[in-house]
Amino acid sequence: MLFSGRVLLSKNGSGKKVIGKTKRSSSGARTFKPAIFLLGFLMIVVGVFGVLYNPSNSTYGNLPWELSEAGILSFSERGEPVFTLQEIKDFYSPESPDILKLVSFESGGDKVEALLRIPADTSSPSPGIILLPGAGVSKEGEQGLASELSRMGYASLTFDQRNQGAINIERDLELFKVGLDPVEYLMIYDVLKAADVLSAQPEIDPERLAVLGESNGGRFAIIACALEPSLKGAIGISTSGDGTEELDPSQIADSEAYRLYCSIDPETYLSALPPSKLVMIHSFNDTVISHEQALRTFALAEEPKAMYNTTDETHGYTASMQPYLEKELSLLFK
């Protein structure tokens, strides 16, 4: 799911400017309240440390990241992927002939666990998809979609996102201000390392890779695709950006918070996506992220891009999205 609420401090009025608001339910879903500038997100900035520190163009923590004044994140060379594999029994799709492997790979000084699903009925290397679940969904919980991708002829690597995709933006800001790695930076880096691992598999065609994410996973999919030119495209299901570009930086008291938020907003990276393609699939009746939010993000993207809509009253992937997904994957990997 999408990250928790956020507030930006401004220089007028009471000193606080509420941009948007989200509320997480006990199940992990969020309900959205309308806002003047954004269609659903509330940014909460807590400058607890009060440390005046500028992390631009430097390397901190375990990650070799840099951040431009405009809030655009970049990483230096990642090096060869380090990983282990073990073929395991497929408890998630027991009738499937797929090959399922448990993968452990190194990323940002940590071990990340993943499931690699490879179609069994292919005689040549398969296109590969990095599959990112929404918040609260494990790699095992995403195997239904992984199995569907396999039936289409695509291998997938699904990993456990840190905190299962949950975001603590206040803590990330604290880390950022003292030059440590925000967790969201680690999560983006994990996607890039997953791409390296996937491309190293002999069953995978390294020239035909893409990233697909649901909800919060879709946000990371867009950012990672913009940062990794080898990826053919990013597919976002039930996702959207944050709308930080609608804010006036001169009216924001905490400039470092603003730069951090820009750096983790997918919309910041839309202009860097081409020639990779953006595909969005969203329901008119999405119960968490409004269709208007998704449409706004899509409108900001440059060609090539495509958007498809369904009418399901739910959040995330549904069977009605399957024809659109299959069509766009075939176009990406043709």
Side-chain angles (χ1 to χ4, degrees):
M1 314 303 289
L2 294 168
F3 47 82
S4 60
R6 299 175 178 179
V7 169
L8 285 177
L9 304 184
S10 69
K11 295 179 179 177
N12 50 41
S14 64
K16 292 187 178 180
K17 187 174 185 179
V18 178
I19 306 304
K21 192 168 186 178
T22 64
K23 181 179 180 182
R24 186 190 299 269
S25 68
S26 60
S27 64
R30 296 177 174 83
T31 57
F32 285 77
K33 299 180 180 180
I36 296 177
F37 295 102
L38 308 180
L39 293 172
F41 296 108
L42 171 64
M43 298 182 173
I44 300 179
V45 173
V46 184
V48 177
F49 291 130
V51 179
L52 298 178
Y53 197 92
N54 186 345
S56 293
N57 303 319
S58 303
T59 298
Y60 304 101
N62 293 317
L63 294 186
W65 57 269
E66 295 183 352
L67 191 64
S68 72
E69 288 299 325
I72 298 174
L73 181 67
S74 62
F75 297 97
S76 61
E77 290 273 334
R78 298 190 293 272
E80 292 297 317
V82 178
F83 58 89
T84 61
L85 301 104
Q86 178 187 359
E87 189 167 338
I88 61 173
K89 186 174 181 179
D90 188 357
F91 292 103
Y92 318 105
S93 299
E95 304 302 320
S96 169
D98 296 342
I99 299 169
L100 191 65
K101 297 182 181 182
L102 179 64
V103 182
S104 178
F105 64 91
E106 293 185 8
S107 178
D110 297 312
K111 294 284 189 182
V112 179
E113 300 295 319
L115 288 173
L116 173 62
R117 181 174 292 276
I118 303 169
D121 56 353
T122 55
S123 56
S124 58
S126 303
I129 298 170
I130 303 144
L131 183 56
L132 305 177
V137 181
S138 66
K139 62 185 183 299
E140 292 84 5
E142 197 72 0
Q143 288 308 295
L145 180 52
S147 297
E148 190 158 333
L149 292 171
S150 181
R151 289 191 291 271
M152 298 178 194
Y154 307 114
S156 63
L157 182 68
T158 313
F159 63 86
D160 280 330
Q161 297 189 87
R162 296 168 192 259
N163 303 323
Q164 282 207 340
I167 299 302
N168 184 337
I169 189 60
E170 294 89 352
R171 178 57 177 161
D172 268 0
L173 180 60
E174 294 171 2
L175 294 169
F176 177 78
K177 285 191 170 183
V178 295
L180 298 177
D181 301 328
V183 176
E184 292 195 61
Y185 287 9
L186 289 164
M187 295 168 78
I188 296 166
Y189 195 74
D190 289 346
V191 185
L192 300 176
K193 293 299 290 186
D196 295 338
V197 172
L198 192 55
S199 65
Q201 306 310 312
E203 304 94 340
I204 307 301
D205 183 350
E207 300 298 320
R208 294 193 293 167
L209 301 180
V211 56
L212 187 161
E214 293 191 69
S215 192
N216 204 34
R219 295 178 59 250
F220 294 115
I222 294 170
I223 297 173
C225 189
L227 297 180
E228 179 46 64
S230 68
L231 296 172
K232 296 295 185 182
I235 300 175
I237 296 174
S238 300
T239 195
S240 74
D242 306 338
T244 52
E245 58 86 27
E246 289 192 351
L247 303 175
D248 181 356
S250 67
Q251 297 300 308
I252 299 168
D254 194 334
S255 61
E256 285 303 279
Y258 176 71
R259 290 175 67 237
L260 171 66
Y261 293 158
C262 286
S263 73
I264 54 180
D265 183 350
E267 292 176 4
T268 301
Y269 300 86
L270 291 175
S271 62
L273 266 179
S276 299
K277 187 175 185 178
L278 173 65
V279 178
M280 297 183 69
I281 308 176
H282 209 93
S283 173
F284 287 115
N285 300 306
D286 193 294
T287 56
V288 176
I289 303 173
S290 72
H291 183 264
E292 288 74 18
Q293 288 173 261
L295 190 62
R296 179 190 172 283
T297 298
F298 181 75
L300 292 171
E302 300 178 7
E303 296 289 349
K305 61 180 181 178
M307 185 169 186
Y308 300 90
N309 306 294
T310 64
T311 58
D312 307 275
E313 288 193 30
T314 188
H315 180 67
Y317 181 76
T318 63
S320 62
M321 298 178 179
Q322 190 272 341
Y324 308 129
L325 179 58
E326 187 165 16
K327 172 186 174 181
E328 284 300 326
L329 287 172
S330 66
L331 292 174
L332 284 179
F333 296 132
K334 66 179 180 180

